[in-house]
Amino acid sequence: MKKLRETMGFAASGGRFWSNALLLLCCWDLSRAQISYSISEEVKKGTIVGNVAKDLNVDVQELQLRLFQVVSGSNKRYFDVNPKTGALFVNDRLDREELCESKQKCSLNIEVMAQNPAKLYRVEVNVADINDNSPVFPLQKLVKNISENVVPGDRFSLPAARDLDVGMNSVKSYTLSPNEHFSLDVQSYGEQSVSAELVLQKPLDREKQSVIKLTLTAVDGGKPARSGTMNIIVNVLDINDNNPVFNKPLYKVKIKENVSFGTKILTVAATDSDEGTNAEIIYSLVEQEGNSASRLFSINDVNGDITVKGSIDYEENPAIELRIQAQDKSGSPRHTNCKVLIEVEDINDNAPEISVTLLMSSVNENIKPGADVALITVSDKDDGKNGKVDCKIVGASPFKLQSSYKNSYSLVVNERLDREQISHYNITVIASDEGTPSLSSTEVIAVHVSDMNDNPPVFPAPVININVKENSPAGGLLASLTAHDSDIGENAHVHYSLIDGDSSRSPVSTLMNINSLTGDLYSLQSFNYEETKQLQFKVQATDSGTPPLNSNVTVNVFILDENDNSPVILPPYSEAGSVNTENIPYSAEAGYFVAKIRAVDADSGYNALLSYHITEPKGTNLFRIGSSSGEIRTKRRMSDNDLKTHPLVLTVCDHGEPSLSATVSVDVVVVESLDSMQPSLRQVPMKEEGFSDLNLYLLIAIVSVSVIFLLSLIGIIAAKCYSSDGAFSSCSAPVVTTHPDGSWSYSKSTQQYDVCFSSDTLKSDVVVFPSSFPPADAELISINGGDTFTRTQTLPSTEKNSL
Ligand SMILES: *[C@@H]1O[C@H](CO)[C@@H](O)[C@H](O)[C@H]1NC(C)=O
Ligand SMILES: *[C@@H]1O[C@H](CO)[C@@H](O)[C@H](O)[C@H]1NC(C)=O
Ligand SMILES: *[C@@H]1O[C@H](CO)[C@@H](O)[C@H](O)[C@H]1NC(C)=O
Ligand SMILES: *[C@@H]1O[C@H](CO)[C@@H](O)[C@H](O)[C@H]1NC(C)=O
């Protein structure tokens, strides 16, 4: 409803409607009469506000004449008057908000003028508000930052919405879009001022909902009401109200013991549901009291990579527990811990260890097989197969290992020991584990074998032959006997003693003496070869062990002949003084046998090999003597010039060195006939006869012996040659040699032997000597009749031609 006010004493007597306008006659004054109308804003152009003429009591007929017109007002002509009817109508758009803004009363004053008489009329037109504007917020979108730790009941102011309309058409209320956190508190201060505040109803949690979108609606009081909206975006600001959280409460990882430095073994990760620095995490290792394992690892504080920093030893730490802390970077940080269990896998990095306990410092060589010598314990720090140890002896050994229980062994004698063969054993024991690759270690156990008296002293040969020259002075050293005892110490300490050979002779202790410590054998007397040719006795060597052991050796002492006997002329001739006489007939032919001188020598060998010579007269041309036979014969027939008596001096020499000789004188008397011969010489012709017979037999015998000998030689040679691929030229004759003990043997040698027979021998003296002279070291074998005594001697070089 519109209200008309009378500002003057004269007011319109009643209201009259013109379409939607009420005309009110307020006053009428010739100059000052004022009338007031009211009209809604935004009415159509041409809408009649009121009939001014009528209301001013101006005759309608006169209007044209009086030039009734609107003369003043604002620049814009919002109203005009119909000059015919006097109606005031809307000439332009009426916008109350433009004309009056937020003034409660909006009135426009216009002046209407009439002429003849000129009169000015004031007309006031009140422009009434209609609800043509909606409430408008100053912002389309409001961003509110609200920390998540605000408590319910806290309020947050909101900007007010503006409505250009006034009065009832202005903002009257607010509404908020439905949500669980906020409510709206609307307060009204008078008609024009209604404001609203957000009130927190339920705590915020940024981690659940970080942005809350609300819509605030302002509603005015018009009919119909109009509204305006604003979007409110509530950013929930983070506070550090969440701990970091590991994505596993417990991490498990397996690593090898030999993992190299810098290897990444695991990455831990924690998340923080806060935001920004509140969610930025620093990882660290927590040092634990009494757990040094954390020094073996390092952690990257940014990405949580755990790497190996120290050397891991399964034997020290088979399982490692680490504590990792994750802490955020906010000013009041929050942190969480987690556990990392690291299982270390064993690798075979420890060699077995061997420890040896020797039970005795040395082992007697008579120790029985099965006896314990040492205890061996092996150990390996590794685990499982890597720590399973097998122990054995390297190489062949008379010892063996016996496993008594796990990882414990005894070193046991397995075979009989002999100190004389091996006195020291280095037994190498090797212990190897079953890892791959296997590790092993060795230990050398030194076992000394101690001696016991199990070896008697031993002489180098069962029989010892000693040659000693006769006539050697008493007290001379004959030989040094040594018996070797393969034991050691007292068990090898040998002393020597003499034992009589056969009881028939005088005790050997009267002939010999032996140094019991050195074994030096001395003669106690000088020997005579012609009396004693050989001595046999025993020497006993005894060691000092308990019980003592002994052994015996047979000692043969051969006494060597010296040329200490001169030849002796045999009867009928004698060398001492008396003159021996032989008669020969004057008619004796050349070669007539005169006499035979015979001599013997007590020595032997060369010392007894005699030769005969005529020493006086020198250079006789009538007689000769067989140098080995001793036969004196005539060289030629007698002549008248020859003397009747020929005194001959004959010498018999042996071949010793120096040579000894005997001399005999024989006077040869030439007689006319044999009748005058002395009966004492009757036998001589018989001898002559006998001699020729004997000679014949001898020759036959020698020839046959020689033939047999040669045949056998040829036979042997042939056999040898046949067996040696027929290389006949390279064959050599087997050689007959003799040994000091008198035995014969054949040997093959390049030496050849000549066998010589003296043409005029009575006894069969066969002399064999090498054909290759010089014979300084030639062998001489003398076969003396049936006597098989032989001797090896040096042939005097001066004598070779005479043989
Ligand atoms: C709200 O926080 C945002 C960042 O989250 C910032 O850019 C903005 O300036 C803050 N507004 C106010 C009013 O504090
Ligand atoms: C660790 O030992 C294993 C076998 O024992 C071997 O194959 C591997 O190469 C070793 N690793 C290092 C890093 O030495
Ligand atoms: C045993 O070992 C020792 C010391 O290494 C050495 O002197 C000796 O010759 C060895 N003996 C044997 C029989 O190998
Ligand atoms: C050595 O001879 C002595 C005396 O005849 C005898 O008692 C001893 O048993 C002999 N020794 C040996 C080893 O034959």
Side-chain angles (χ1 to χ4, degrees):
M1 292 295 294
K2 292 173 183 100
K3 229 179 181 178
L4 288 179
R5 283 195 189 157
E6 286 177 331
T7 51
M8 300 186 68
F10 168 80
S13 57
R16 215 173 72 188
F17 283 98
W18 298 77
S19 69
N20 56 356
L22 175 73
L23 185 141
L24 190 71
L25 182 66
C26 292
C27 52
W28 177 254
D29 193 339
L30 282 179
S31 58
R32 293 199 157 256
Q34 187 171 352
I35 51 173
S36 182
Y37 299 98
S38 187
I39 181 112
S40 279
E41 57 175 331
E42 308 287 359
V43 292
K44 274 191 205 143
K45 257 187 203 173
T47 303
I48 292 170
V49 179
N51 195 319
V52 180
K54 215 180 202 176
D55 291 337
L56 290 174
N57 280 324
V58 179
D59 187 3
V60 177
Q61 318 297 321
E62 292 179 2
L63 286 181
Q64 274 177 320
L65 294 174
R66 292 187 68 181
L67 297 170
F68 199 73
Q69 61 184 321
V70 173
V71 290
S72 70
S74 56
N75 298 342
K76 270 192 171 175
R77 230 174 219 277
Y78 291 105
F79 303 99
D80 215 342
V81 174
N82 188 331
K84 288 178 184 162
T85 60
L88 185 71
F89 64 88
V90 176
N91 191 42
D92 203 348
R93 182 185 158 232
L94 287 175
D95 184 3
R96 192 203 68 81
E97 285 75 29
E98 192 182 306
L99 296 172
C100 304
E101 295 182 350
S102 61
K103 282 181 203 146
Q104 280 289 332
K105 181 177 160 60
C106 183
S107 55
L108 292 177
N109 288 314
I110 50 175
E111 285 171 355
V112 181
M113 197 177 78
Q115 311 238 340
N116 301 322
K119 215 157 181 170
L120 199 62
Y121 305 96
R122 277 195 146 202
V123 177
E124 183 192 55
V125 180
N126 284 313
V127 180
D129 185 40
I130 65 163
N131 195 18
D132 60 346
N133 285 287
S134 300
V136 174
F137 286 96
L139 300 163
Q140 280 277 305
K141 187 177 89 173
L142 174 72
V143 177
K144 268 224 130 22
N145 291 345
I146 300 175
S147 172
E148 59 179 323
N149 62 346
V150 295
V151 292
D154 277 7
R155 291 164 172 268
F156 305 92
S157 61
L158 295 172
R162 251 189 90 214
D163 196 325
L164 293 178
D165 298 326
V166 293
M168 284 304 292
N169 294 334
S170 66
V171 176
K172 289 291 178 243
S173 70
Y174 292 95
T175 56
L176 189 65
S177 56
N179 71 94
E180 53 176 333
H181 290 284
F182 294 98
S183 66
L184 204 62
D185 182 28
V186 183
Q187 285 144 7
S188 138
Y189 310 97
E191 208 168 66
Q192 282 297 344
S193 176
V194 180
S195 68
E197 280 179 334
L198 279 178
V199 180
L200 185 69
Q201 296 295 333
K202 189 184 156 195
L204 297 173
D205 186 357
R206 191 205 63 80
E207 286 72 36
K208 268 192 199 153
Q209 193 178 7
S210 63
V211 176
I212 303 171
K213 286 185 175 159
L214 302 171
T215 309
L216 183 66
T217 310
V219 186
D220 58 23
K223 289 194 186 201
R226 300 181 75 125
S227 65
T229 58
M230 178 178 70
N231 290 325
I232 304 173
I233 295 175
V234 177
N235 285 326
V236 183
L237 295 186
D238 186 48
I239 64 158
N240 194 23
D241 58 347
N242 284 285
N243 287 344
V245 176
F246 281 98
N247 46 19
K248 283 185 199 169
L250 178 66
Y251 292 86
K252 283 184 184 173
V253 67
K254 271 190 183 181
I255 59 171
K256 293 221 178 213
E257 188 178 2
N258 65 348
V259 65
S260 48
F261 294 177
T263 307
K264 186 177 104 179
I265 59 163
L266 178 73
T267 303
V268 295
T271 49
D272 192 316
S273 38
D274 293 324
E275 206 183 28
T277 54
N278 293 342
E280 275 179 41
I281 293 174
I282 303 171
Y283 299 95
S284 59
L285 277 166
V286 182
E287 295 274 345
Q288 285 168 276
E289 191 101 347
N291 182 355
S292 58
S294 57
R295 281 190 269 112
L296 302 175
F297 298 93
S298 64
I299 189 163
N300 183 315
D301 61 356
V302 177
N303 61 20
D305 286 350
I306 300 176
T307 48
V308 177
K309 189 169 81 171
S311 65
I312 313 290
D313 189 3
Y314 170 83
E315 287 69 36
E316 213 178 291
N317 280 328
I320 299 170
E321 184 186 309
L322 295 180
R323 262 174 203 284
I324 312 286
Q325 184 183 72
Q327 174 174 308
D328 59 36
K329 283 189 185 166
S330 85
S332 50
R334 306 181 74 123
H335 60 80
T336 316
N337 287 358
C338 80
K339 256 192 213 177
V340 176
L341 285 186
I342 300 167
E343 193 179 321
V344 181
E345 278 182 61
D346 185 41
I347 66 154
N348 196 16
D349 60 345
N350 287 285
E353 285 163 22
I354 305 176
S355 88
V356 176
T357 317
L358 268 186
L359 295 181
M360 39 192 124
S361 59
S362 66
V363 170
N364 199 291
E365 59 181 318
N366 71 344
I367 192 167
K368 290 213 169 57
D372 286 4
V373 175
L375 294 182
I376 296 166
T377 315
V378 294
S379 60
D380 193 308
K381 283 186 190 153
D382 290 321
D383 203 32
K385 277 198 151 193
N386 295 339
K388 207 168 168 204
V389 183
D390 185 41
C391 197
K392 56 180 186 250
I393 293 177
V394 179
S397 162
F399 298 90
K400 67 175 178 186
L401 285 181
Q402 251 173 17
S403 176
S404 29
Y405 45 94
K406 189 170 183 276
N407 286 349
S408 178
Y409 299 84
S410 0
L411 183 67
V412 171
V413 181
N414 196 30
E415 292 166 19
R416 293 212 160 271
L417 304 180
D418 185 4
R419 191 207 61 81
E420 285 71 34
Q421 273 178 9
I422 302 171
S423 64
H424 183 98
Y425 289 95
N426 285 340
I427 305 161
T428 307
V429 173
I430 182 165
S432 16
D433 60 30
E434 291 181 12
T436 37
S438 167
L439 292 178
S440 62
S441 52
T442 58
E443 180 81 29
V444 176
I445 304 173
V447 174
H448 291 274
V449 182
S450 62
D451 188 45
M452 68 168 289
N453 195 20
D454 56 349
N455 287 284
V458 175
F459 285 99
V463 176
I464 293 173
N465 292 324
I466 301 169
N467 293 333
V468 57
K469 283 183 181 169
E470 61 176 333
N471 305 325
S472 301
L477 175 66
L478 300 184
S480 283
L481 303 184
T482 322
H484 175 71
D485 193 314
S486 38
D487 293 323
I488 52 168
E490 282 294 288
N491 295 339
H493 190 254
V494 181
H495 56 265
Y496 302 89
S497 56
L498 293 172
I499 301 174
D500 277 318
D502 59 75
S503 48
S504 62
R505 298 249 184 102
S506 53
V508 70
S509 52
T510 61
L511 303 173
M512 301 283 174
N513 185 22
I514 192 160
N515 182 323
S516 74
L517 294 178
T518 61
D520 288 347
L521 190 65
Y522 297 96
S523 63
L524 289 181
Q525 63 174 52
S526 170
F527 298 105
N528 187 352
Y529 173 79
E530 285 72 30
E531 261 173 36
T532 315
K533 294 198 166 39
Q534 185 187 356
L535 289 171
Q536 192 178 56
F537 54 92
K538 285 183 174 178
V539 170
Q540 186 177 57
T542 311
D543 62 30
S544 311
T546 31
L549 297 176
N550 65 51
S551 66
N552 297 334
V553 68
T554 301
V555 179
N556 285 319
V557 176
F558 294 106
I559 292 147
L560 300 183
D561 184 40
E562 291 271 273
N563 196 18
D564 58 346
N565 289 287
S566 300
V568 174
I569 310 287
L570 293 180
Y573 307 104
S574 75
E575 56 185 306
S578 66
V579 172
N580 306 291
T581 312
E582 288 293 341
N583 295 336
I584 58 168
Y586 179 77
S587 58
E589 295 290 320
Y592 181 83
F593 176 82
V594 179
K596 179 174 171 75
I597 308 296
R598 289 200 287 174
V600 291
D601 193 308
D603 296 321
S604 66
Y606 274 100
N607 294 340
L609 183 62
L610 301 180
S611 60
Y612 301 86
H613 311 278
I614 298 171
T615 41
E616 294 285 337
K618 290 201 166 58
T620 177
N621 59 357
L622 195 53
F623 300 100
R624 61 182 170 88
I625 189 162
S627 75
S628 57
S629 63
E631 286 173 2
I632 305 166
R633 288 174 188 271
T634 55
K635 279 184 174 169
R636 56 174 171 81
R637 291 181 68 100
M638 299 291 153
S639 73
D640 290 345
N641 298 342
D642 292 331
L643 297 171
K644 288 284 179 254
T645 303
H646 299 274
L648 298 178
V649 177
L650 306 164
T651 309
V652 185
C653 304
D654 62 25
H655 287 80
E657 184 69 37
S659 171
L660 297 176
S661 61
T663 318
V664 65
S665 301
V666 176
D667 288 354
V668 179
V669 181
V670 181
V671 296
E672 283 306 315
S673 75
L674 275 180
D675 300 342
S676 60
M677 278 185 175
Q678 287 171 358
S680 65
L681 300 173
R682 196 67 20 110
Q683 56 191 32
V684 173
M686 277 167 65
K687 236 186 243 170
E688 183 95 42
E689 263 173 38
F691 167 72
S692 52
D693 287 347
L694 188 67
N695 234 357
L696 187 64
Y697 295 140
L698 256 174
L699 263 174
I700 290 165
I702 288 168
V703 164
S704 50
V705 163
S706 306
V707 163
I708 290 165
F709 184 62
L710 277 172
L711 279 176
S712 49
L713 269 181
I714 288 163
I716 291 164
I717 291 166
K720 284 277 173 189
C721 293
Y722 189 73
S723 61
S724 62
D725 305 323
F728 197 86
S729 59
S730 67
C731 292
S732 55
V735 173
V736 183
T737 53
T738 58
H739 299 287
D741 58 1
S743 66
W744 285 82
S745 73
Y746 288 98
S747 72
K748 216 170 132 184
S749 155
T750 51
Q751 276 184 318
Q752 289 187 351
Y753 288 80
D754 289 343
V755 180
C756 305
F757 303 97
S758 30
S759 58
D760 50 357
T761 181
L762 256 176
K763 293 166 155 189
S764 61
D765 283 359
V766 182
V767 176
V768 185
F769 56 88
S771 61
S772 54
F773 274 86
D777 53 353
E779 260 178 59
L780 177 90
I781 301 159
S782 161
I783 303 169
N784 217 339
D787 188 357
T788 55
F789 177 77
T790 56
R791 184 70 51 86
T792 303
Q793 274 186 329
T794 302
L795 189 67
S797 56
T798 47
E799 297 297 323
K800 64 182 179 186
N801 290 333
S802 67
L803 283 167

